[in-house]
Amino acid sequence: MGTYIIRRLLGMIPMLLAITIFIFLMMHAAPGNAIESMINPKIQDIQALKQQLIQENGLNKPLYIQYVDWLWNFIRGDWGYSFAQHVPVTQLVLPALGNTLILAALAEVFILIIGVPLGIMQARKPYSTFDNSASIVNIILFSVPYFIIAIFLIYLLAIKLNVFPSQNAIGSGPNAGSVLDHLYHAFLPAFSIALASSAVYSRYTRGSMLDIARRDFTRTARAKGLPESVVFRKHVFRNGMIPIITQFGFDIGGLAGGAVILEGLFAYQGMGYVTLQAAQQRDYNVIMATSLIIAVCVLLGNLIADILYAMVDPRIRYD
Amino acid sequence: MSENLLEVTNLKKYFPINAGLMKRTVGHVKAVDGVSFTVAPGETLGIVGESGCGKSTTGRMIMRVMDSTEGRIIFDGQDITKLKGRGLRNIRTKFQMVFQDPYASLNPKMTIREVIAEPLLVNQVASGKQVVDRVAHLLETVGLRPDDMLRYPHEFSGGQRQRVGIARALALNPKMIVADEAVSALDVSIQSQVLNLMVDLKKEFNLSYIFISHNLAVVRHISDRVGVMYLGQMVEVSPKSDLYENPLHPYTIALLSAAPEAKRKEKRERIILQGDVPSPANPPKGCPFHTRCPRVMDVCRIQRPELREIRPGHFAACHLH
Amino acid sequence: MAVNVSVSKDKEKVVQGRKTKSPNRLAFERFMHNKLAVASVIILVLIALMSICAPLLTHQSAWQTSLLQTDLPPSIHHLLGTDDEGIDLFARDVYGGRADLLIGFVDTIIIMAIGIILGGLAGYYGGWVDAVIMRACDFMFNFPFILLIIVIVAIFNVSNIWLLILVIAFTSWPGITRLVRGLFLSIRESEYVLAAQISGANVWRIIFRHLLPNSLGPLVVNATLLMAGMIGAEAALAVVGFGVKPPSPSWGNVLSGALNFLTLQTEPWVWIPPAALITLTILCINFIGDGLRDAFDPSFVK
Amino acid sequence: MAESLLSIRDLRTYFISKDAEVRAVDGIDIDVKKGQIVCIVGESGSGKSMTSLSIMRLVPQPRGKIVSGEVVLDGKDLLTLTETQMTAVRGNDISMIFQEPMTALNPVLTIGDQITEVLHRHQRLSKREALKRAVEVLNVVGVPRAEQIVHEYPHQLSGGLRQRVMIAMAMVCEPKLLIADEPTTALDVTIQAQVLELMHKMREDFGTAIILITHDLGVVAEMADHVVVMYAGQVVESVNADELFDEPLHPYTKGLLQSIPSIDEEKDVLYSIPGTVPDAANFPKGCRFAERCPIAQPSCFEKMPALREVRNGHHVRCDLVE
Amino acid sequence: LTGCGNSTSSNNNSGSSNNAAAGKPVNGGTLTMADTTKWEDMFIPYLNDASPTFAMWELSFEPLMSYDKNLNLTPNIAKSWSYSKNKKTLTIKLDPNAKWSDGKPITSDDVLLFMNFIASPAYNKTFQGDYGYMVQPVVGSADVMSGKAKSFADTGGFKKISNTEFQLNFTNVDAAVLAADVSSYTPLPSHILGKIPFSQWQNMSFDKVPTVVDGAFIPKKVNGQSSITYDANPNYLHGKPHIAHVQLKYVSEDVLPSLIENGQIDMNIEGNNLDTNSFVKMEKDSNLSTEAQPAMSYGYVGMKLNESKFKSVKLRQAMNYAVDKQAIIQGVYKGLGKPAYGPLPYFDWAAAQPSDGMNTYSYNPTKAKQLLNEAGFTIPKGQKYRIDPATGKTAKYTLVYSSGSAEVQSICTAVAQNLQAVGLDVQLGTPLDFNVMLTKLENNSPGLDMFFLANGVGTDPDPRGTWGSNDPQNFGRWVNAKNDALIAETYSAKAFNKTYRKQAFIKWQLNVNQQVPQLFLYDRDDTWAYNKNVHIPASSWIPGGYTGIQNWWISQ
Ligand SMILES: Nc1ncnc2c1ncn2[C@@H]1O[C@H](COP(=O)(O)OP(=O)(O)OP(=O)(O)O)[C@@H](O)[C@H]1O
Ligand SMILES: Nc1ncnc2c1ncn2[C@@H]1O[C@H](COP(=O)(O)OP(=O)(O)OP(=O)(O)O)[C@@H](O)[C@H]1O
Ligand SMILES: [Mg+2]
Ligand SMILES: [Mg+2]
């Protein structure tokens, strides 16, 4: 297990390098000089300032040196300066990362509470009226674009009933910034994500459970005289959860940047939101940092998925 | 010039095992470890052995769908061991294969005609109406109705499908057919139909077979000579009656005694081997069979016995002889 | 349609047509028995016809602004009123489907083509070809797809719908590629492929005659999922301003123009039609996908 | 004569769907005496597995249904029991082993877990005791290193060992009846010999009756006291094992025996039964074997023959047999 | 004025409602305002140039002088000021009552600190600061800006006379400098910030929660870019505000109107927070008060006058006639604005009126066509578009605008369609990101013949920076000697006389009005909507926004 994790971690390094090169080259290929997006055209004596900035930012050096410099600075924690927001990128991105992780975690909890149990309930009584109607609800929920669900939730819960905030990742008042406050603000976006994903997860869970319920070893368990509840809990459930748990790992990483639209709608200052804003303002340093962080999150998510997989499935663990 | 159709010399196939931090190759599965035999024109060589002993791998190397690690395969006087591309394509028409699973060996999305015509078309030996005629003829040859040719495999039973598979193998008039467990998946009543068909075809077209199976009775029925494999090695090769009546290798003896026979008359004295077949990834030193051999000697643990001709035409790899 | 096969003279001349349904034909018949799926096909066709024949349905322009006619409520003249640029909303809804269906359809085709070729090569050849293509897939998976589109659209200033389609395709190919590879990898092991190889068939014949037809079921099902996803993505991108460039009509654009809560409250005719059209289209495609899955995989019984 | 343990009467198990009714088991009668080994042979699809699953009342849902019949074990009809009562029978009075030892064991639970859960369920043993008992039984079935193996997972064992574990699991409550559905088909001959040997031993040690399902007449010859030959969902011949090989009566059984090649002697041409098994969704009206039967008469196609006792204990479903 | 908001509202409930009914201010309550663009949590004035950040710190910091309804200067922290004879020295006296919130008086040093900061290289280079021009006229500005000198006190630009009195020395005589620059100087608390190097200012905790301010409200708690809580400043120069707390929240433009309607937000803070459609709906809501005030900007379409295609004055005039500006105002801004025809907003004291001879260029396509014909732009038979006599080819122009605003989009579409209607082939270019577009204009990149922009107008009408032939923001590159001469007149020594200065402005405007280097579109209004419980005296509203927040109050 230990070597397994180490091997996976080492295996991530070339991928990380490839990601950094891709991000660097993409930004480099962006039309327009990076400097031009940095400086305010109202400043007098623009040319001198431009030259100075080019010098300071090493933009006259060969490309690979620029890349190495950028990477080295990034590793050291110097992620550059946001020219649109006028703050160091770290100040912008790190809180956003925190917010996004809270959102992702909460969303996953909701999925665990809503989607997975629903799928399990469906699988317990497949082809029953309950199962069929749940399947229809799922496919509808799955077909409504998730931002429409989100808008509906904002309208209902934030504007009409005013029970949850519709905007921002933290509130005001004495408790602002506390854990509870964070969760309170993450509630609606997380719930929106969860509603849309739950449809997927319950379909997935149901399918996985039904698949396991057809397996030989389930039949063996029944032949041993175990009551249906035990058969389900101990045999079907345990095996059926393996792909779900793995998917969970993937999603934890994916949510880091995957909820762009929702973060935008909820003005939730997460990674997606910051990236979106930076994209609108062509704030290259921020885009580079967020893209890289998000890619790393996804990589780590995959790692988590693999580890979870190895943990629940002895066939992998004893490899 | 030899008069053999096929000569296999010291054939080996090692599959690398990758493990550890950097997924380096830490060892090899010695699936086939130095196998030699010959097949004469019109002869059937049966290969028996337990699961995982390397029968299929041998068959696939002969069919050149898998590269060998070492050794030589000479077919019809031509060394095909390293043949590639066009040369391989040309020679391939002369040896064909029949597969185990009658359900998996026919493309479910193709009609029977397309299945059988495929070798004809890709080798451009026939075209247009010729193809249809040839397919119809082949279907008749294997005992199916020619007007079945527009039907799809899913409409046929296992035995019928196996006949289609045989028709496909016959399409190019091959000299040799490798049949890998060709009847194992069939029910007994169907199995005999297919076996009879294969025997008939062999006579009709003067075919050579390499008949791979784990069923000793079936191999005895169809083969002229039989080879017994154990853990990647050929432990005994002999004309069949000699092998079945006077087996030399302890493994063959055990195998024959373990095989249940559909008769109640005399209860034979059975030799029940202890333990499992060792893993080909980590085969025992010396004789591969020494871990389970009831007559193991000290030399067996050290030295690997060579396949030697003990009696005329009867080869065995055992220190006892 | 039945092929007349003449066999040697004295045999029966015409092949019996009775039992010659191909597996695809059987799947099609099973599909046609699925009422929900068939209804979805009809609705989808109607929606497509609606946007293709838009000029027949309305003589209003979907582009021409008219600043003296902004934000009108529905009337006989403007069936769904006008938007804040004075463009007829009915016309925008009707024409808007063109962009969505175009993106959904063309992107699905492009992505399927990329997926089949790359996934096919990876699945067929294995080895380093597979390794390279799969690493590329893994690589792309590190960037959430909507986010990557947004970043690319923003920094390269993509404003043309065809370029947008390419960007979407560029970011979305790995899923299908992986799927195709997986399918091919498992089918490649099957004995009929081995038989074809032994017969001397070359790569392309094996891919197109054996591997592809036998992956058809999952591929078609996933193509529908993909298409639904693309239409959803168009709307999502429009909401954050990175979709089809306005004033080109698209459902996403019409909807994003109405994403203001006063409008949502007071002017349902602005947002309900595009939202309903998007949802209905995706729903139909998903039902069709479900139907196709059941049709191609009859063991998956209801 | 030993007393009767299980008696199946007119058991019918169908798969019912919208457009078809597959009669997998179509009115079979089987008797098993205490300590007896009854072999069920027949071609693929003849309903062997469905018979065994029907006895266990584990017919695949949602389409499989036991339509009629009775399965009387020790005087009580299993088909009338409630589901809870039935779970008390499974694994305790009757247990079962399956063909594929690879897939029949749960990959994520240890061997120990899987054996002890039977003990826990039926004998209310504590964890510690159950584990001890599991090790004991594993030793009995000849599993080496049993103390370690209880902590290992199925994928760490070889096929033969897994099947031994399956047998241990089935025997751990010392059931009256063991149903083995092709327990050796997936195994090599040498391993098969070991497992068959083991099943003999089980019968000796525990006095367990065994229903052994197979399509290999060799295994039948090796194991059976009594043989039931099935064809297309029906019993076509039911006879004492010695008599089966000496004097088969049903044309199908005869054909079957003649079509097997032998290790001991050489036959030039094998006998073969022409044609194939009829479709279970679409059985013909008369005798189901008539189409393939070498001695079929026109009447055979019209009327379904009944299973008759032709000699003492020898039942045949053929009107042409004297 | 005693007690804090809480006790007032709970103890004197009846009293306060009486007061409210009588329209008398009550103390206490919280005003929740919202912005729809995020601010940077940087409370140091001018450290960041984004308007939401300005809105945020303007609650807490005061400039030396303020303005009245007609944009005339009024005293604020500066109590009085006077010029020397040679008009090169300005002496300013600070209000001795002006105090920081910690009770310390506001001193000349606080003003100097601001000047040094605004000129420092750290500000201009590290922060890409934007307001160095404010101190440029002061003696020694070049030295301070380049880092050669540390302080204007050392260069002779600034002379401290006492704690409440100082002199500024200017390099040139300039009539605009007081209103355009000096009036905006915003004293910084030197007793707090004085010892900290400028380069560290943006990293200080001070800017997260500044403790010492001189404005009406003291920021108390900052929750990143989500919300800020302020308390009333008891030491505020104009008296402690009635409102006890202000809360500023960020919400997205889409939800703001709904949140104001259902009372979760009391008021928008910036005049461009509300989209026009919502505003029009909110005007009808009886629970809300609304306010529209002219914005300090006007919208125009610029032309690349350095290119030959726009050389013809008649062409430019024709364009101004051809566009239906009233329709744009009605359609896009629902009537909230006025058509523009000159460079200064109509409400400015210096704005030239039609009575002064300004041509309003009201919509007249016939006139436009006639002018085009006169200028030689003729339509070939059967064609839609005219031929440019200078090139002999179709008169074809690309109009570019910045992405992200549906309103700008509509306006440009309308302009293009209007111009096409008189035979000019104007096509919309790809919308560009605002900064990208500015950069392109800056660099005179090809491909944008015409461009839509909104031009901000200062509280002082000084046209420099935008209108001079070499000014950086003269994006159209309009070079006109007469114009330059007329501009110079507006800040000449004589222009210290306000009447003279106004006349100079009118002459300048008439020239611009005749030459029409731009296609003037509109002066639009900024809009606010607020809860009926919030009472804002009418006198608080001035062009561009509000003042006197200390006089506002909230009824329960
Ligand atoms: N592609 C492969 N990679 C690694 N190992 C392989 C591969 N193919 C076969 N092997 C191993 O080689 C050995 C021989 O396999 P082979 O299929 O030849 O056996 P076999 O005698 O045909 O067995 P069976 O009777 O089960 O078909 C086995 O241990 C198998 O696991
Ligand atoms: N889940 C199912 N749905 C529909 N029909 C089924 C199902 N399972 C089995 N059948 C049908 O029931 C019949 C009897 O099947 P059964 O599994 O009992 O055969 P078997 O004798 O055990 O064959 P084998 O030797 O292949 O195991 C067959 O015709 C089969 O097609
Ligand atoms: Mg094999
Ligand atoms: Mg079975």
Side-chain angles (χ1 to χ4, degrees), chain E residues 261-299:
Chain E
E261 285 216 318
N262 76 3
Q264 289 183 51
I265 301 286
D266 291 324
M267 178 183 182
N268 58 309
I269 190 165
E270 288 194 274
N272 58 4
N273 289 147
L274 298 171
D275 66 295
T276 323
N277 277 322
S278 297
F279 181 75
V280 172
K281 282 171 201 147
M282 293 163 90
E283 277 183 315
K284 297 181 194 120
D285 187 332
S286 58
N287 290 323
L288 299 180
S289 312
T290 54
E291 182 70 37
Q293 284 291 331
M296 298 295 284
S297 72
Y298 69 91

Side-chain angles (χ1 to χ4, degrees), chain B residues 50-57 60 100 180-181 212 214:
Chain B
E50 289 180 271
S51 176
C53 70
K55 306 183 296 290
S56 299
T57 309
R60 285 173 186 229
Q100 168 172 10
D180 188 355
E181 312 264 11
I212 296 172
H214 57 255

Side-chain angles (χ1 to χ4, degrees), chain B residues 63 89 92 99 101 104-105 107-110 114 118 122-123 132 136 140 147 150-152 154-155 168, chain C residues 3 5 7 11-12 15 19 21-24 26 191-192 194-195 197-200 205 209-210 213-214:
Chain B
M63 288 310 301
R89 203 138 356 118
R92 223 174 222 165
F99 300 92
D101 188 346
S105 60
N107 183 342
K109 299 287 167 87
M110 280 181 160
E114 288 171 309
E118 179 158 52
V122 298
N123 290 294
V132 180
E140 280 183 326
D147 49 311
L150 285 189
R151 291 166 61 180
Y152 285 86
H154 68 91
E155 299 168 80
R168 170 176 58 193
Chain C
V3 186
V5 184
V7 194
K11 300 267 185 279
E12 288 171 284
V15 171
K19 270 194 162 183
K21 282 176 184 162
S22 74
N24 289 346
L26 287 174
E191 292 182 335
Y192 59 83
L194 195 58
Q197 282 172 333
I198 288 170
S199 301
R205 186 177 171 90
R209 294 287 289 149
H210 296 275
N214 285 291

Side-chain angles (χ1 to χ4, degrees), chain E residues 15 21 99 101 106 152 162 170 317 381 409 460 521-522 541:
Chain E
K99 290 203 178 69
S101 55
I106 297 174
F152 282 103
S162 76
F170 302 111
Q317 289 173 338
K381 274 241 157 46
Q409 160 103 37
D460 186 79
L521 292 177
Y522 55 78
W541 293 107

Side-chain angles (χ1 to χ4, degrees), chain B residues 39-298:
Chain B
V39 181
E43 186 190 38
T44 301
L45 174 73
I47 297 181
V48 285
E50 289 180 271
S51 176
C53 70
K55 306 183 296 290
S56 299
T57 309
T58 307
R60 285 173 186 229
M61 281 191 289
I62 295 169
M63 288 310 301
R64 291 291 294 114
V65 285
M66 189 182 266
D67 285 326
S68 50
T69 311
E70 216 181 296
R72 245 157 46 110
I73 306 164
I74 293 174
F75 180 80
D76 213 8
Q78 188 180 353
D79 188 342
I80 61 166
T81 323
K82 295 259 148 38
L83 221 49
K84 285 220 155 57
R86 175 160 287 277
L88 180 61
R89 203 138 356 118
N90 289 339
I91 192 92
R92 223 174 222 165
T93 59
K94 297 192 193 152
F95 50 90
Q96 287 292 313
M97 194 161 179
V98 176
F99 300 92
Q100 168 172 10
D101 188 346
Y103 291 85
S105 60
L106 303 180
N107 183 342
K109 299 287 167 87
M110 280 181 160
T111 61
I112 299 307
R113 189 182 72 184
E114 288 171 309
V115 169
I116 300 177
E118 179 158 52
L120 300 171
L121 294 174
V122 298
N123 290 294
Q124 294 162 352
V125 295
S127 62
K129 193 167 160 330
Q130 275 177 305
V131 174
V132 180
D133 288 348
R134 176 102 180 103
V135 172
H137 180 73
L138 284 166
L139 282 173
E140 280 183 326
T141 313
V142 298
L144 293 171
R145 298 200 328 231
D147 49 311
D148 283 340
M149 67 167 73
L150 285 189
R151 291 166 61 180
Y152 285 86
H154 68 91
E155 299 168 80
F156 292 85
S157 71
Q160 287 172 317
R161 290 175 189 221
Q162 204 60 320
R163 286 168 193 266
V164 174
I166 292 172
R168 170 176 58 193
L170 290 175
L172 293 168
N173 277 324
K175 293 188 174 176
M176 185 182 79
I177 288 182
V178 174
D180 188 355
E181 312 264 11
V183 296
S184 314
L186 303 176
D187 273 314
V188 209
S189 74
I190 310 296
Q191 176 180 309
S192 62
Q193 293 174 8
V194 175
L195 282 174
N196 287 342
L197 172 68
M198 289 184 71
V199 172
D200 293 345
L201 294 171
K202 174 184 162 182
K203 287 184 195 137
E204 192 177 338
F205 299 105
N206 191 31
L207 291 168
S208 292
Y209 287 131
I210 291 181
F211 193 93
I212 296 172
S213 177
H214 57 255
N215 187 326
L216 291 153
V218 168
V219 168
R220 171 162 201 180
H221 177 76
I222 197 160
S223 310
D224 300 315
R225 284 194 305 135
V226 175
V228 180
M229 282 185 75
Y230 187 78
L231 219 57
Q233 297 178 22
M234 197 66 99
V235 294
E236 189 163 3
V237 192
S238 158
K240 67 171 166 185
S241 38
D242 204 17
L243 185 105
Y244 281 78
E245 271 138 38
N246 296 305
L248 292 175
H249 199 283
Y251 175 64
T252 317
I253 298 170
L255 209 56
L256 286 172
S257 91
E261 175 70 338
K263 279 197 193 108
R264 292 284 275 193
K265 296 275 163 49
E266 73 281 13
K267 283 264 172 190
R268 287 167 302 148
E269 186 51 44
R270 300 173 112 225
I271 305 166
I272 294 184
L273 291 176
Q274 293 309 307
D276 292 322
V277 187
S279 152
N282 191 15
K285 285 222 170 53
C287 175
F289 187 56
H290 83 248
T291 53
R292 299 169 81 197
C293 184
R295 299 173 66 186
V296 61
M297 304 177 296
D298 284 345

